[in-house]
Amino acid sequence: MAFELNGKTYETDEEGYLVNLSDWNEDVAKYLAQQEGVNLTDAHWEVINFLRDYYNEFQIAPAVRVLTKAIGKKLGPEKGNSQYLYELFPYGPAKQACKIAGLPKPTGCV
Amino acid sequence: MLHIVNKSPYDRPALNSVLATAEGGTILLIEDGVFAAVKGGAEEAKVKAAMAKFKFYALQSDLEARGMADRVIDGVTVTDYAGFVDLVAEHKTCQSWL
Amino acid sequence: MTTKKFMMVNRKAPYGTIYAWEALEVVLIAAAFEQDVSLAFLDDGVYQLKKGHNTKAIETKAFEKTWGALEDYDITKLYVAQESLAERGLTADDLAVPVEVLSRAEIGKLMEEQDVILSF
């Protein structure tokens, strides 16, 4: 599968995740968010950037439990809880946020 | 526990790894692992010595396929696929030394 | 959910085969289901933990970095066979993460205590 944006074609898997991590940029994120029905705010970007940093450091997208804990550690307990994250990404912070962040689906996410 | 070995002892150290790690238990030789169950080779003495601590089984169909069914070391039990299943079921856990 | 003791037994070097990466994926899945997970590294499996992998030229993910994430998954039980390290001229200082170095026999005993063993 694929989509087109600003004259460039982006390859995705059958679930809509970017195939090539290096294809990602902010416009792609905005497009993917729009497809998910998510209106990106600063709070969303904070999580997206966190995920991209996490991936760069550890080479994996974290499972939701791990994401929650790690965000709490870095951004504070008011953000490191599943309620806050699900408000931002209703279809699952790990799954949906990873897709928008251009990362693969977290291992252990069904 | 049950240890399954599917590599020839003349090619890979999988069987050695079992013997160096486990205190005892059951060893099932399958695929190229059955060469460890064959008489007359350099590995025979090691297998015989290990019989003090381990119960050895070898899969009949893999011995037959390799023309080795008639020269199995005494004390190694030859078993069929049903016996393989029973062995797995009888043991709480199973490690395949791939 | 019932918690079981899972041990992944890693005996293969990284990159040459897919075993090492598959094991790591299974570890992450088991941990996501909050199981009691431990990892044992024997034989060529100890090469997985060597620090300083640079896989750029072979265009493969350097999952050495991922060991650092295991703590986030509450996986802290990494057992490495002393004999396997020594045979390969390695010590615990060569490894990417802190581990517990045990004799093969000690790892063998831990294997006997598991509910589930997954072999890689």
Side-chain angles (χ1 to χ4, degrees):
Chain A
M1 286 169 64
F3 64 87
E4 249 179 65
L5 189 67
N6 305 327
K8 191 176 180 304
T9 306
Y10 295 91
E11 209 184 327
T12 65
D13 68 11
E14 68 275 16
E15 290 179 280
Y17 290 80
L18 277 188
V19 170
N20 302 309
L21 271 66
S22 54
D23 277 352
W24 187 89
N25 57 47
E26 292 200 358
D27 288 335
V28 168
K30 284 176 195 157
Y31 173 85
L32 291 168
Q34 196 193 339
Q35 297 300 303
E36 293 285 319
V38 172
N39 187 21
L40 293 179
T41 65
D42 287 348
H44 292 91
W45 281 110
E46 195 173 44
V47 176
I48 290 168
N49 290 327
F50 179 88
L51 276 169
R52 289 192 63 84
D53 289 346
Y54 193 95
Y55 191 89
N56 279 332
E57 189 172 353
F58 297 119
Q59 303 290 298
I60 51 166
V64 65
R65 178 173 65 91
V66 174
L67 172 69
T68 310
K69 205 165 72 177
I71 284 204
K73 236 192 270 177
K74 191 165 177 201
L75 304 175
E78 71 281 1
K79 291 176 181 172
N81 64 76
S82 51
Q83 194 192 341
Y84 174 78
L85 293 170
Y86 271 93
E87 269 169 26
L88 293 175
F89 301 99
Y91 286 96
K95 241 170 167 170
Q96 203 171 27
C98 282
K99 188 186 277 186
I100 297 168
L103 305 182
K105 194 157 102 169
T107 303
C109 250
V110 278
Chain B
M1 64 185 283
L2 177 64
H3 301 275
I4 300 178
V5 176
N6 73 337
K7 300 290 189 293
S8 163
Y10 299 99
D11 181 41
R12 307 281 190 94
L15 180 61
N16 283 341
S17 288
V18 183
L19 302 180
T21 308
E23 274 187 309
T26 306
I27 297 176
L28 171 62
L29 304 166
I30 64 168
E31 301 166 13
D32 289 347
V34 299
F35 290 121
V38 174
K39 272 185 206 168
E43 295 289 314
E44 181 177 357
K46 188 191 294 163
V47 171
K48 280 189 162 159
M51 282 178 180
K53 295 196 285 182
F54 294 91
K55 181 98 188 73
F56 277 87
Y57 289 83
L59 197 62
Q60 184 168 16
S61 48
D62 287 328
L63 283 164
E64 284 171 357
R66 290 159 181 77
M68 295 294 186
D70 60 346
R71 54 184 77 179
V72 175
I73 297 170
D74 296 332
V76 174
T77 308
V78 176
T79 187
D80 58 9
Y81 284 114
F84 185 164
V85 174
D86 288 342
L87 283 173
V88 172
E90 281 163 18
H91 291 82
K92 186 185 163 208
T93 48
C94 176
Q95 155 75 3
S96 293
W97 298 80
L98 302 165
Chain C
M1 195 175 346
T2 328
T3 306
K4 288 190 172 182
K5 283 172 79 81
F6 279 72
M7 180 182 268
M8 300 3 173
V9 180
N10 294 285
R11 296 185 49 252
K12 302 284 185 198
Y15 315 121
T17 62
I18 195 75
Y19 285 106
W21 175 246
E22 295 271 304
L24 188 50
E25 295 239 295
V26 173
V27 165
L28 297 176
I29 291 166
F33 286 94
E34 300 185 31
Q35 299 298 306
D36 179 358
V37 177
S38 61
L39 288 93
F41 296 87
L42 299 165
D43 304 321
D44 277 358
V46 301
Y47 285 133
Q48 294 178 29
L49 292 169
K50 169 73 176 60
K51 64 183 161 199
H53 291 183
N54 182 350
T55 56
K56 225 185 167 94
I58 62 167
E59 295 181 9
T60 305
K61 183 141 87 171
F63 56 88
E64 169 209 356
K65 288 181 176 177
T66 309
W67 302 120
L70 291 186
E71 210 183 333
D72 292 341
Y73 283 77
D74 296 321
I75 299 170
T76 51
K77 289 176 278 192
L78 276 66
Y79 307 116
V80 177
Q82 162 62 35
E83 294 90 329
S84 302
L85 284 175
E87 281 163 15
R88 289 161 182 79
L90 298 172
T91 68
D93 291 339
D94 293 310
L95 307 183
V97 280
V99 299
E100 204 174 326
V101 178
L102 299 173
S103 70
R104 291 193 79 109
E106 287 172 304
I107 291 178
K109 287 199 185 86
L110 289 171
M111 287 171 73
E112 296 284 351
E113 294 170 11
Q114 304 302 315
D115 296 309
V116 181
I117 288 191
L118 296 167
S119 320
F120 295 95

